[in-house]
Amino acid sequence: MRKINSNETFLNEIEQVAIEIYQRDLEQREDIALIKNKYLQDTKYTLGYLSSSLEFKELSIFTNYMDWFGSLAYHLSFNLKSMEMHFENTISVFNDMLDKQLKEEALHFYKLGINRFISAFHLAHTKKIELDIFLNHLINMNIDAAYEHIMILINQGATIKDIYLDLLQPTLIKVGDLWHQQIISVAKEHYITAAIQTMIGKLYGKLFENKAKAKYSVTAVCAGDELHEIGMRMVADFFEMSKFDSYYLGSNIPIKVVLNHLIEKPTDLLAVSATTPMHLVEVKQLIESVKKEPRTHQIKIIVGGKIFNETPDLWKKIGADGFADNAEHAVRLGLSLLGDTND
């Protein structure tokens, strides 16, 4: 068997590695044949995090994921002994399929990740999540009552920024925690996210009230087929409420399309969001393309999203000009990079 000798090759061979792990697990656990597709999907997901961690030399990318995975496994009632067997078989596959240098680094990261998984599994407990009035309306699928709650807050003096930062953003985090603890279904999580997007759309009339003439422009995109677009949409809105015209392109936009947009619609700032590490290579390629193109090289580029929040220095390794952990900070950073220090 030819050994995998680079992380790039490892990334391209993830499916084959996952299949080999599955075959070895199957010899000891015939029951996993009933969940083969899900098993392979989850295994490839874990290997993807490991590959990204190796690619950017950031151990925390993988260990943070394994910490999350260990807690989730507890709430899903996984059998820890079966998981430990899976880990042993994965190590066996690495020993057989990876060459010496890649194997040493991969096993070092992987074994530390196993420790984090097991620790999180043992320490997992139900975190108390406050089910406030707004969240209760959404859990009960009463979007009208939820929107009415927003309007009451606005009539009491809350600004759109207050609604985004103090209500919608915390609610989205709580919803993620509720799913993680298996208190709500993935369908309910998706409903609530879609409901919040709908309410943001209804707020747009107020968002553009008294909007001053823009001084700058920003283009906002989500890396890859990003499923968490709502965060970047809120970031674009914050720029719109400041001194910017914003162009929100959404997700799943090829690099060439983004580049053509930046050429055709000159932009001062490019904001890129990534939630998972599987899209980091694409983010890096986008940044390199923008900086290499003579007609766009002057554009300042900032990044954000869960993966950057968890790995604060990662933005430097992909060539961005800065990183912001929320919408308010993104606007402040963008203005600073453009030399505008007057809020």
Side-chain angles (χ1 to χ4, degrees), residues 74-313:
Y74 170 83
H75 291 296
L76 289 173
S77 301
F78 278 27
N79 183 295
L80 184 56
K81 290 295 183 184
S82 295
M83 288 304 302
E84 289 174 336
M85 185 187 304
H86 167 76
F87 296 147
E88 290 173 4
N89 285 327
T90 301
I91 289 172
S92 173
V93 169
F94 285 175
N95 279 321
D96 290 344
M97 296 188 71
L98 308 185
D99 80 344
K100 186 175 185 298
Q101 184 174 351
L102 179 60
K103 177 174 65 179
E104 288 179 357
E105 189 174 10
L107 286 177
H108 174 62
F109 278 32
Y110 192 71
K111 289 177 180 178
L112 290 173
I114 292 172
N115 292 338
R116 287 285 289 272
F117 177 97
I118 294 173
S119 176
F121 189 94
H122 286 307
L123 295 175
H125 60 279
T126 303
K127 181 173 110 179
K128 184 172 176 57
I129 301 170
E130 181 186 353
L131 300 180
D132 53 55
I133 296 173
F134 182 70
L135 182 52
N136 266 319
H137 287 321
L138 292 173
I139 290 173
N140 292 325
M141 305 180 79
N142 192 340
I143 188 173
D144 291 335
Y147 186 70
E148 183 179 347
H149 180 75
I150 289 177
M151 296 311 298
I152 290 172
L153 294 176
I154 290 175
N155 291 334
Q156 291 175 346
T159 65
I160 300 297
K161 287 185 178 182
D162 294 332
I163 297 298
Y164 277 28
L165 285 179
D166 300 333
L167 183 66
L168 301 185
Q169 185 171 298
T171 296
L172 288 167
I173 293 171
K174 288 179 182 179
V175 168
D177 289 339
L178 288 170
W179 171 83
H180 189 255
Q181 294 181 18
Q182 297 299 286
I183 295 172
I184 63 172
S185 67
V186 67
K188 183 64 69 73
E189 181 196 22
H190 286 181
Y191 166 81
I192 294 174
T193 301
I196 288 177
Q197 288 178 312
T198 297
M199 288 185 282
I200 287 175
K202 292 177 71 173
L203 289 171
Y204 265 22
K206 295 186 176 297
L207 176 67
F208 294 108
E209 282 180 0
N210 304 315
K211 175 175 166 57
K213 182 176 176 58
K215 187 176 180 181
Y216 309 106
S217 59
V218 58
T219 291
V221 298
C222 295
D225 55 349
E226 193 59 68
L227 297 176
H228 299 82
E229 293 186 31
I230 189 168
M232 181 49 90
R233 181 174 176 181
M234 291 169 68
V235 169
D237 290 349
F238 260 70
F239 276 109
E240 195 74 40
M241 288 184 276
S242 299
K243 301 179 180 181
F244 291 80
D245 280 329
S246 66
Y247 309 110
Y248 174 63
L249 303 186
S251 64
N252 205 24
I253 309 295
I255 290 174
K256 184 173 179 56
V257 173
V258 176
L259 202 58
N260 287 340
H261 162 80
L262 295 175
I263 292 170
E264 295 169 6
K265 196 77 175 178
T267 307
D268 299 298
L269 188 70
L270 174 63
V272 185
S273 171
T275 300
T276 65
M278 272 69 92
H279 299 133
L280 287 176
V281 171
E282 184 174 352
V283 174
K284 185 177 181 182
Q285 290 172 344
L286 172 60
I287 292 173
E288 289 172 348
S289 297
V290 172
K291 290 185 177 292
K292 183 179 179 181
E293 166 59 50
R295 290 167 291 182
T296 61
H297 75 277
Q298 79 287 351
I299 296 174
K300 298 298 182 182
I301 304 173
I302 64 174
V303 294
K306 186 174 185 289
I307 187 62
F308 293 106
N309 291 348
E310 294 177 345
T311 318
D313 289 331

